[in-house]
Amino acid sequence: MAQSAAARRYVKRFVPTMIAYCAILAGVTWYIDAARPAGAVLAGLSILPALPIIGVLIVMGLYLAEETDEYVRQRLVTCMIFAMGVVLALSTVLGFLQIHRVIGQVNVFWAFPGWCFAWGMAQTALAVRDRMQGSAE
C-alpha cells in the first residue's frame, strides 16, 4: 500500500524532530554531568529535551489533520485513544500504590514513552487482526 502525502509529510517532520531530541538529550545530559549547573540554568537545560517531544505531538496532530483517508485517520485515533486509556489506567494504579507507599516514586517522564509503546502495540494488534481476517477470506 502506498503512503499518502500526509504520511510522507509526517515522516519528513518526525525523523528530524526525533534526531533533534536525541542530540539535545545527549548534549544536555553531557553538559549537566560535566558542568553541574544549578538554579535557572539547570531548569532551562532540563526543559530543553521536552521541546522536541512537544514537537512530536504537534507532528502527530498535523498528520491527523492532514490525512484525507478516513479509514487511516480512524485507526490512528482508535490506537491513540487505546494508548491514552492504558497510560491513564496505569498512572491511576501506580498513583494509588504510591499513595499507600507500596512502591516508590515513578517518574512521570515515562508517560509519553509508555503511550507510544501502547499506541504501537495497538497498531500492531490491528495489523495482525487485519492480516488474519484477510487470509480467512
Side-chain angles (χ1 to χ4, degrees):
M1 176 192 251
Q3 275 190 335
S4 67
R8 288 190 300 276
R9 284 191 300 273
Y10 168 77
V11 172
K12 286 181 182 177
R13 293 170 179 154
F14 180 83
V15 170
T17 305
M18 289 309 296
I19 290 170
Y21 168 71
C22 293
I24 290 169
L25 181 62
V28 164
T29 301
W30 172 83
Y31 183 77
I32 289 173
D33 287 346
R36 303 277 184 215
V41 173
L42 180 59
L45 289 168
S46 297
I47 291 170
L48 280 179
L51 298 178
I53 297 299
I54 294 167
V56 165
L57 293 169
I58 292 167
V59 166
M60 289 175 166
L62 287 170
Y63 178 36
L64 279 175
E66 294 172 352
E67 181 57 67
T68 57
D69 185 325
E70 290 298 321
Y71 176 74
V72 171
R73 287 178 67 185
Q74 185 272 331
R75 269 179 88 107
L76 289 169
V77 170
T78 297
C79 293
M80 289 176 170
I81 291 171
F82 172 81
M84 188 177 2
V86 168
V87 169
L88 290 173
L90 186 58
S91 65
T92 300
V93 170
L94 291 173
F96 280 112
L97 290 171
Q98 288 174 330
I99 286 170
H100 299 290
R101 295 187 179 95
V102 175
I103 63 170
Q105 177 183 343
V106 177
N107 295 325
V108 295
F109 162 82
W110 291 107
F112 184 70
W115 181 86
C116 290
F117 180 78
W119 183 40
M121 297 309 321
Q123 289 179 320
T124 300
L126 289 180
V128 168
R129 180 201 67 188
D130 291 350
R131 283 195 186 103
M132 293 176 78
Q133 285 179 346
S135 65
E137 293 175 4

